[in-house]
Amino acid sequence: MNISSIDVLSKIFKNPEDDLALFENLHVLEFYADEKDRVYVKTLEHNGKDKVVLTDKKTAPEEIVRQLFLYELLNVYKYPKDRVKLEVDVQFGREIGKKRADVVVYREDMKTPYLMVEVKKPDVKDGLGQLKSYANATGAPILVLTDGKIQNNLLRTDPNLFEDLPDLPKFNETVEDVQKKIITYDDLDDVNNLKQLILDLENAVLANAGVNPFEEIFKLIYAKLYDELETPRSQNRRFRVIAGITNKENLNNISRLFNEAKGQWRDVFKDKDEIEIPENAIVPAVSLLQKYRLFGSNLQVIDDAFEYLINQDAKGGKGQYFTPRFVIDMCVKMMRPKKNENIVDTAAGSCGFLLHSMQHVWRNEITEADYGSSFESKRKEYADQHLYAIDFDPRSVKIGKAMMLIAGDGKTNVSYANSLDSSLWDTESKARFSKFLHRFDDFDLNKKNEEAMTDFDFDVVMTNPPFAGEVKGTLLNKYDLGFKFDKDFERTNKHQNKMTRDVLFIERNLDFLRAGGRMAIVLPQGVFNNTNQEYIRRYIMKRARLLAVVGLHGNSFKPHTGTKTSVLFLQKWRDDEERKKAGNYPIFMATSEKPGKNNSGDYVYAMDENNNIKKDENGSYVYDTDLDDVANKFIEFAKKHNFDFI
């Protein structure tokens, strides 16, 4: 009995379209069931046997991947059916039959392997070493590892050296034909799993190269971004492996590209920075990335990869963690940034708040319907003129700038600086932010502010400052909260001995806001609950109206920390008269019960009626969280109470 391919695939895969993203047509396979309800796939192998792929006890997703890949070999790459064999014994010394290659394409003599394929079920990536051992045992020059989502094509150039091929040679094509093909911008593929590519770079290429993987990967990423941005789209990519030249010459080619990228983004790298990847590793490293396009990529894909790179040890040790994107989306929805408003994140990390604010404004105010053919230039203009970020971690700045470049237009306003101490800002950072300085009526105050750069007029601040770490010394003198407060919650002239950074960030962010400006800030729960921090709460209420407090679930920042956090939403008072007139006012309060993560810190996704992961209009997965519902309830509350920004 024949069975619908849709029915079979949906029972074997959580989300067939995602799990088998490599294959354009998922309906080329035929299925049938026997009298015991075992489901078979009709094999495409010449004289091969049909395979069981589904029973009431088990599934065989890797067999589906294998048959779909076999279809590609036969129909796209045009290899003769009698040259292709499945489950071929591989001989290791005297041992025969202990290991089997999933797919082998033979040369004309039908004895010499030309191409070998190792197939895994989706998200299993442990086959690369096994595949290389097959190549060493058989001499096959071309290797393929695929899981249905990602395909790695490797060329064995030496017993222990492999480089990536941008594509497989078709029947009667040579490897040289593939390597010499011009790669234009339009030929580049979307990157579906950048995190896995980075893992491959770390494990297969840079693990034994004696270099810092983070630094070298980002040098390659910026060189690639520069190539995508500056090389005319119809011309051959400069970020590629050039066939027929030495490893050293390929290294020199990529180094020249990186040096040009340094000139474009001077505040990301130092003048002395150079690519330190060894000559024998540069070709496989570049070949892994060269066929993919970073600009315009799905931000969730890029985000996952960059969050992996800034791991707990590098970033979390400072009490600073990437903010889950569903928390950011809630903040953006509640703060409602507008196209003419200036936004800053003073502890920007990967610039998530800015990116999602940009997408919000693009989606709601700068559309093709609004601006016709000029809407894209208007979007770039908005990103260039209204989005600003600061971070004191150079690794975060590299990531934040890359995220803004990938999502925007090649320009970025991300500064490497200490938000808490503007006296240390470099000339470029001061110039970037000087146009947002608050203008006092008093000449002396204005002059002092121009020198100290303390008070600004940003419309919106959204941020997740670092929780850990304490500030001591003279810097505390610049902050009201650096002094002790008396029992009436008035500031005294006695200095605090130390203060946690998150508390100082509250005051600093209020200073960044114009009168009437809005702020969303993630804070540890203690700021809201601890009796010994009541003076902080009083200080906040004196300077701003409390719009909302949203308690986040304890899983929100796992696996990095289980610290309980809340998001505080404020609107800065315009003057004392407005504050006094407000009197006792209502505050929106909510607590999240669906965190979008499990107890281990893994993301949990929402499922549709077919038990597939839901996607939004941008193709990103939808998280299983209630924060969007919280945001909608806040909007109802804000409209009821006539908030002026809703």
Side-chain angles (χ1 to χ4, degrees):
M1 178 181 65
N2 289 335
I3 304 176
S4 162
S5 61
I6 296 176
D7 292 339
V8 175
L9 295 179
S10 62
K11 291 177 181 177
I12 296 176
F13 300 94
K14 287 183 178 180
N15 196 327
E17 289 187 359
D18 287 334
D19 291 335
L20 301 170
L22 276 177
F23 309 110
E24 291 186 9
N25 191 347
L26 301 183
H27 308 299
V28 295
L29 303 181
E30 296 182 37
F31 300 92
Y32 65 90
D34 64 11
E35 66 280 358
K36 295 182 180 180
D37 290 330
R38 293 176 299 190
V39 177
Y40 290 76
V41 60
K42 291 185 179 180
T43 186
L44 298 175
E45 181 187 17
H46 181 59
N47 294 329
K49 294 182 179 180
D50 297 343
K51 308 291 184 181
V52 177
V53 294
L54 178 64
T55 70
D56 58 352
K57 294 183 179 180
K58 64 179 182 178
T59 62
E62 62 274 13
E63 185 60 43
I64 301 296
V65 176
R66 176 162 61 178
Q67 293 293 334
L68 286 170
F69 190 80
L70 181 53
Y71 178 88
E72 298 276 310
L73 284 175
L74 300 176
N75 294 279
V76 177
Y77 294 95
K78 304 298 183 182
Y79 285 98
K81 204 168 188 177
D82 59 0
R83 293 265 194 103
V84 184
K85 299 295 180 184
L86 306 186
E87 296 182 328
V88 176
D89 291 336
V90 178
Q91 180 173 347
F92 292 90
R94 294 184 178 181
E95 294 185 3
I96 300 176
K98 295 291 185 181
K99 298 287 185 180
R100 287 184 172 183
D102 288 322
V103 183
V104 176
V105 177
Y106 286 94
R107 296 186 187 272
E108 191 174 2
D109 63 8
M110 288 303 297
K111 294 180 180 179
T112 309
Y114 173 64
L115 186 155
M116 302 186 77
V117 183
E118 182 70 13
V119 172
K120 297 293 180 183
K121 61 184 179 181
D123 297 319
V124 174
K125 307 293 189 301
D126 60 356
L128 203 55
Q130 182 175 318
L131 189 58
K132 289 179 178 179
S133 71
Y134 291 172
N136 290 331
T138 65
I142 300 175
L143 310 174
V144 178
L145 176 66
T146 181
D147 68 344
K149 288 183 176 181
I150 285 183
Q151 179 177 321
N152 291 339
N153 307 319
L154 300 179
L155 174 66
R156 185 171 181 257
T157 58
D158 204 73
N160 295 309
L161 282 181
F162 299 83
E163 67 179 68
D164 194 82
L165 282 173
D167 197 2
L168 296 177
K170 293 181 179 178
F171 183 63
N172 287 332
E173 264 190 343
T174 66
V175 168
E176 289 73 20
D177 292 333
V178 172
Q179 291 175 322
K180 291 179 180 178
K181 284 180 180 177
I182 291 177
I183 306 174
T184 68
Y185 184 87
D186 291 336
D187 292 327
L188 300 176
D189 295 330
D190 292 333
V191 56
N192 294 318
N193 194 334
L194 181 60
K195 180 179 177 181
Q196 185 57 46
L197 284 177
I198 288 173
L199 281 167
D200 290 343
L201 270 173
E202 286 185 320
N203 297 331
V205 180
L206 302 179
N208 299 312
V211 296
N212 182 315
F214 177 93
E215 295 296 336
E216 297 311 306
I217 286 171
F218 263 90
K219 289 172 187 175
L220 292 178
I221 285 175
Y222 272 90
K224 178 142 183 46
L225 286 172
Y226 183 81
D227 182 40
E228 292 183 21
L229 184 67
E230 295 296 329
T231 303
R233 294 197 169 192
S234 61
Q235 292 184 12
N236 204 359
R237 298 296 91 192
R238 294 173 61 194
F239 188 95
R240 75 187 197 283
V241 174
I242 301 175
I245 67 173
T246 65
N247 288 341
K248 184 176 182 179
E249 289 171 321
N250 270 300
L251 176 58
N252 290 339
N253 175 57
I254 299 302
S255 294
R256 283 192 294 271
L257 195 59
F258 172 67
N259 285 332
E260 292 176 34
K262 280 195 307 184
Q264 177 85 346
W265 301 299
R266 294 183 181 278
D267 53 347
V268 179
F269 297 98
K270 299 175 182 177
D271 289 339
K272 65 180 181 180
D273 285 344
E274 300 290 345
I275 288 180
E276 298 177 16
I277 300 172
E279 290 178 16
N280 66 347
I282 192 65
V283 168
V286 171
S287 64
L288 272 173
L289 291 173
Q290 67 180 11
K291 63 184 176 184
Y292 295 105
R293 180 178 62 253
L294 296 181
F295 272 113
S297 296
N298 183 308
L299 289 183
Q300 194 174 61
V301 171
I302 305 297
D303 224 21
D304 288 346
F306 289 176
E307 184 174 1
Y308 163 75
L309 276 172
I310 288 284
N311 54 36
Q312 183 176 359
D313 290 336
K315 187 78 172 171
K318 300 178 182 179
Q320 190 172 359
Y321 310 98
F322 278 133
T323 313
R325 274 27 193 171
F326 41 79
V327 174
I328 291 173
D329 283 332
M330 175 193 69
C331 295
V332 171
K333 195 169 187 177
M334 291 171 66
M335 288 289 90
R336 288 285 187 92
K338 310 294 191 301
K339 66 180 180 181
N340 60 338
E341 292 184 321
N342 299 308
I343 307 172
V344 66
D345 183 348
T346 56
S350 64
C351 291
F353 283 109
L354 297 187
L355 287 167
H356 288 244
S357 295
M358 179 183 74
Q359 290 179 322
H360 170 85
V361 170
W362 283 2
R363 186 169 57 248
N364 292 286
E365 294 191 79
I366 311 179
T367 66
E368 189 172 7
D370 293 321
Y371 290 96
S373 60
S374 66
F375 86 101
E376 289 187 349
S377 63
K378 289 290 184 183
R379 286 182 167 186
K380 292 177 181 179
E381 180 181 305
Y382 168 78
D384 182 36
Q385 296 182 4
H386 294 282
L387 303 175
Y388 291 81
I390 306 171
D391 203 285
F392 198 42
D393 183 338
R395 293 155 63 98
S396 291
V397 171
K398 283 185 174 69
I399 287 179
K401 279 182 173 289
M403 290 290 288
M404 294 300 291
L405 290 169
I406 289 167
D409 67 338
K411 297 181 181 179
T412 173
N413 297 308
V414 183
S415 292
Y416 170 47
N418 184 348
S419 295
L420 294 178
D421 192 355
S422 51
S423 68
L424 301 177
W425 289 6
D426 60 22
T427 303
E428 187 171 350
S429 295
K430 288 181 178 179
R432 180 173 286 154
F433 283 90
S434 61
K435 60 185 175 183
F436 299 106
L437 284 170
H438 179 71
R439 305 300 172 187
F440 291 93
D441 294 332
D442 183 275
F443 176 83
D444 291 333
L445 282 177
N446 216 45
K447 185 70 174 176
K448 182 180 178 181
N449 192 41
E450 288 175 355
E451 294 173 355
M453 300 196 77
T454 53
D455 292 271
F456 295 87
D457 276 338
F458 278 92
D459 300 286
V460 180
V461 173
M462 285 186 274
T463 192
N464 176 16
F467 299 167
E470 296 172 337
V471 176
K472 302 177 182 179
T474 57
L475 180 59
L476 293 176
N477 298 343
K478 299 180 180 181
Y479 290 89
D480 289 335
L481 293 174
F483 290 81
K484 295 181 179 180
F485 283 64
D486 62 24
K487 62 180 181 179
D488 296 319
F489 307 107
E490 296 294 331
R491 201 198 88 170
T492 70
N493 292 324
K494 295 180 179 179
H495 295 90
Q496 298 274 10
N497 294 323
K498 57 187 177 182
M499 181 55 64
T500 57
R501 287 190 290 176
D502 59 284
V503 170
L504 295 184
F505 263 100
I506 296 171
E507 181 176 343
R508 185 64 174 132
N509 287 322
L510 285 167
D511 291 339
F512 265 92
L513 276 180
R514 66 168 173 83
R518 312 183 296 285
M519 178 166 73
I521 181 170
V522 182
L523 293 170
Q525 196 68 47
V527 174
F528 304 92
N529 297 339
N530 293 347
T531 55
N532 63 352
Q533 291 190 312
E534 185 176 354
Y535 74 96
I536 298 173
R537 297 190 287 274
R538 297 271 188 150
Y539 175 85
I540 293 170
M541 295 176 72
K542 189 173 182 179
R543 295 194 62 185
R545 172 173 178 159
L546 272 64
L547 302 174
V549 179
V550 177
L552 301 179
H553 194 280
N555 289 353
S556 296
F557 287 93
K558 287 183 178 179
H560 309 296
T561 179
T563 300
K564 290 186 177 181
T565 57
S566 293
V567 186
L568 179 65
F569 297 86
L570 305 171
Q571 186 168 24
K572 191 173 179 178
W573 297 119
R574 290 173 174 83
D575 49 40
D576 283 341
E577 183 178 346
E578 182 187 36
R579 176 173 61 85
K580 293 173 182 177
K581 186 177 179 180
N584 293 323
Y585 54 84
I587 302 170
F588 179 86
M589 308 288 285
T591 301
S592 173
E593 296 179 346
K594 293 177 68 177
K597 286 186 176 183
N598 60 24
N599 291 335
S600 299
D602 298 321
Y603 287 111
V604 178
Y605 300 103
M607 311 300 288
D608 63 19
E609 61 276 6
N610 296 319
N611 205 34
N612 293 325
I613 299 175
K614 288 183 179 179
K615 288 184 177 181
D616 63 18
E617 64 272 15
N618 299 314
S620 297
Y621 291 143
V622 176
Y623 299 101
D624 189 22
T625 176
D626 54 7
L627 291 181
D628 190 58
D629 296 331
V630 169
N632 289 332
K633 289 293 184 182
F634 171 79
I635 291 170
E636 292 178 13
F637 174 87
K639 288 179 178 178
K640 178 180 178 181
H641 295 284
N642 299 314
F643 289 1
D644 60 8
F645 57 90
I646 297 295

